[in-house]
């Protein structure tokens, strides 16, 4: 199974257009070693022919163009088979509208996410006016076949984040995915949004070969400290990396071959290659995703 990280930043990308935090300033000026990143999404394949996208960011066009394996073949047939959604957030779903020129689109989503995208944001209703859309219901806890050589099992990720669009069920608002190569039985867990690493969620990670996990903020009060927002990381639905109960404390001891932070907010100092925070992660066996990183699992 091959996994390609199409985008590794949180919503807004890095640098973010309206931000002058230390990281964004460094990215623009070149004063510190760092690289720009697009918004979070990955592509997975068992045979390098059929590809499945997990989330569709607003940067999807440039992400596809940057990865030759996703380019259409000589018959203008797209290699992307489906999009699997972890939630209904705009930075994970706006890219669906940019796929409207296709012959049709298969979308895997929970009932809650589907309801938000039809009755709330209306993204799928708009998309259906341009191309056929097939909804594949995602049922957490159920193993599902995903093309040739792959299967997946979604798991519920509870969140208390305030809902912007009423009507969606509490269960299934956010999910993680465990994707398994049916030949080798090795698996990847994709978890770009998690508010708290509960015992149940940690159990879902057991035995996986690689983990792509929420790295939105270093500190819980990162945004208030910078004067950029009043909400904490957990208020926004994301467990911080550092501190008691943070992801570093809970994940670094786990026997997983590759543990990689993804969905990194522009305010997070781990985006700077020479930051003390980045060096601290490396000492604990944790990696930081960058666009274009590929994993063989």
């Amino acid at each position: 199974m091959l996994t390609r990280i199409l985008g590794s930043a949180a919503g807004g990308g890095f640098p973010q257009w309206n931000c002058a935090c230390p990281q964004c300033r460094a990215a623009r000026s070149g004063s510190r070693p760092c690289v720009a990143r697009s918004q979070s999404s990955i592509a997975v394949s068992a045979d390098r022919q059929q590809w499945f996208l997990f989330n569709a960011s607003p940067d999807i066009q440039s992400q596809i163009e940057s990865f030759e394996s996703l380019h259409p073949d000589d018959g203008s047939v797209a290699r992307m088979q489906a999009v699997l959604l972890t939630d209904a957030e705009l930075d994970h779903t706006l890219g669906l509208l940019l796929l409207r020129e296709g012959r049709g689109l298969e979308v895997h989503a929970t009932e809650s996410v589907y309801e938000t995208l039809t009755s709330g944001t209306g993204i799928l209703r708009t998309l259906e006016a341009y191309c056929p859309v097939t909804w594949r219901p995602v049922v957490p806890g159920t193993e599902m076949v995903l093309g040739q050589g792959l299967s997946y099992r979604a798991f519920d990720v509870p969140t208390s984040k305030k809902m912007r669009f009423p009507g969606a069920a509490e269960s299934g608002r956010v999910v993680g995915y465990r994707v398994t190569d049916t030949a080798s039985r090795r698996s990847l867990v994709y978890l770009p949004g998690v508010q708290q690493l509960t015992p149940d969620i940690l159990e879902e990670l057991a035995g996986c070969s690689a983990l792509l996990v929420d790295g939105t903020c270093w500190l819980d009060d990162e945004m208030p400290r910078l004067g950029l927002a009043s909400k904490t990381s957990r208020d926004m639905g994301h467990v911080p990396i550092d501190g008691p109960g943070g992801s570093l404390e809970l994940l670094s001891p786990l026997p997983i071959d590759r543990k990689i932070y993804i969905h990194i907010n522009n305010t997070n100092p781990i985006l700077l290659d020479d930051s003390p925070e980045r060096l601290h992660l490396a000492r604990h066996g944790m990696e930081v995703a960058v666009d274009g990183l590929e994993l063989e699992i």
Side-chain angles (χ1 to χ4, degrees):
M1 175 168 59
L2 179 68
T3 299
R4 166 88 172 201
I5 296 179
L6 300 176
S8 52
F14 174 66
Q16 185 169 298
W17 70 274
N18 66 334
C19 186
C21 72
Q23 284 67 240
C24 288
R25 291 200 305 271
R28 294 187 181 105
S29 67
S31 60
R32 300 277 296 277
C34 59
V35 295
R37 288 165 165 84
S38 61
Q39 295 168 86
S40 178
S41 177
I42 66 171
V44 177
S45 176
D47 59 8
R48 300 174 185 262
Q49 297 299 315
Q50 290 186 324
W51 289 89
F52 299 89
L53 265 60
F54 287 74
N55 293 336
S57 88
D59 301 315
I60 194 168
Q61 191 273 342
S62 60
Q63 291 171 344
I64 289 174
E65 286 305 306
S66 69
F67 186 35
E68 188 175 352
S69 294
L70 281 176
H71 295 175
D73 62 20
D74 293 339
S76 294
V77 175
R79 299 186 187 278
M80 186 188 67
Q81 304 299 304
V83 178
L84 292 81
L85 301 174
T86 60
D87 51 59
E89 296 292 333
L90 292 182
D91 56 316
H92 293 159
T93 59
L94 275 177
L96 294 171
L97 295 176
L98 303 181
L99 301 174
R100 65 188 182 278
E101 296 92 351
R103 300 176 183 178
L105 187 63
E106 181 176 299
V107 176
H108 295 238
T110 64
E111 185 175 357
S112 176
V113 170
Y114 180 76
E115 183 177 348
T116 299
L117 295 178
T118 50
S119 303
T121 64
I123 285 176
L124 285 185
R125 289 287 179 245
T126 301
L127 184 61
E128 287 172 336
Y130 291 87
C131 73
V133 177
T134 302
W135 172 43
R136 303 294 186 198
V138 169
V139 180
T142 301
E143 194 79 18
M144 304 287 289
V145 174
L146 186 64
Q148 185 68 33
L150 294 176
S151 66
Y152 75 82
R153 187 182 76 247
F155 54 93
D156 197 36
V157 180
T159 179
S160 61
K161 181 180 178 180
K162 184 179 179 181
M163 298 169 62
R164 294 181 184 271
F165 299 94
E170 286 294 328
S171 177
R173 285 177 57 200
V174 181
V175 296
Y177 286 97
R178 187 179 182 116
V179 188
T180 300
D181 184 307
T182 56
S184 68
R185 301 309 303 171
R186 290 169 63 84
S187 60
L188 162 81
V189 172
Y190 182 54
L191 186 58
V194 56
Q195 189 174 45
Q196 183 179 357
L197 289 166
T198 64
D200 285 345
I201 290 177
L202 291 174
E203 188 174 337
E204 296 287 351
L205 312 182
C208 74
S209 301
L211 169 64
L212 298 175
V213 67
D214 190 342
T216 304
C217 291
W218 178 258
L219 297 172
D220 191 35
D221 63 348
E222 185 168 294
M223 301 287 279
R225 282 192 184 202
L226 292 169
L228 297 176
S230 60
K231 292 182 178 180
T232 66
S233 180
R234 287 187 173 93
D235 288 340
M236 297 185 293
H238 301 283
V239 62
I241 294 174
D242 198 29
S247 59
L248 180 59
E249 175 185 79
L250 296 171
L251 297 178
S252 59
L254 300 183
I256 300 172
D257 294 341
R258 303 284 299 271
K259 292 171 285 191
I260 305 173
Y261 282 114
I262 199 168
H263 196 275
I264 307 160
N265 200 53
N266 55 290
T267 57
N268 194 329
I270 67 172
L271 290 168
L272 302 176
D273 298 346
D274 64 349
S275 68
E277 293 84 358
R278 174 72 78 88
L279 297 175
H280 187 63
L281 290 185
R283 286 194 294 267
H284 286 80
M286 305 293 290
E287 301 176 56
V288 177
V290 65
D291 295 14
L293 178 66
E294 294 186 0
L295 307 174
E296 287 254 16
I297 299 168

